[in-house]
Amino acid sequence: MSFFGKNAQGQQAINPQNIAMAEQELEMVTGLYNRIANSCHKKCVPIQYEQGELSQTETVCVDACVAKFFEVNTLVGLKMQQMGQQPQ
């Protein structure tokens, strides 16, 4: 089954609610990507470029930065889930 659903004739029906959800998810992913790129660029790449490519040190720094960003993001998500499941 398609994310957007199908109608009785097997043709794809456009569900405005599904489109809105997909647009919202795209905005969230784009925002996450931009935050990671900006944060890791500031931490790992010097202001004055010396080469067209990242150095090995810069590459290792960016890899570690992105991994840490995702690790923290996952931990925060789990904590939020736990908080949401607690009885009030």
Side-chain angles (χ1 to χ4, degrees), residues 44-46 48-59 62:
C44 299
V45 181
Q48 199 163 9
Y49 296 136
E50 296 177 9
Q51 305 172 31
E53 301 289 326
L54 292 176
S55 70
Q56 184 174 358
T57 303
E58 293 165 342
T59 301
V62 169

Side-chain angles (χ1 to χ4, degrees), residues 5-84:
K6 291 191 180 221
N7 63 16
Q9 292 82 25
Q11 296 174 340
Q12 195 142 348
I14 298 175
N15 182 336
Q17 184 179 9
N18 288 346
I19 290 176
M21 287 173 27
E23 288 174 343
Q24 185 178 28
E25 185 173 352
L26 179 61
E27 286 178 18
M28 289 174 29
V29 169
T30 301
L32 177 63
Y33 173 82
N34 288 332
R35 285 192 307 276
I36 291 170
N38 290 334
S39 177
C40 294
H41 184 270
K42 285 179 188 175
K43 291 177 183 175
C44 299
V45 181
I47 293 172
Q48 199 163 9
Y49 296 136
E50 296 177 9
Q51 305 172 31
E53 301 289 326
L54 292 176
S55 70
Q56 184 174 358
T57 303
E58 293 165 342
T59 301
V60 169
C61 179
V62 169
D63 286 345
C65 180
V66 170
K68 190 178 288 186
F69 204 100
F70 276 113
E71 182 180 341
V72 169
N73 192 38
T74 300
L75 291 173
V76 168
L78 291 172
K79 184 67 173 175
M80 299 276 291
Q81 280 183 340
Q82 290 172 352
M83 291 172 62

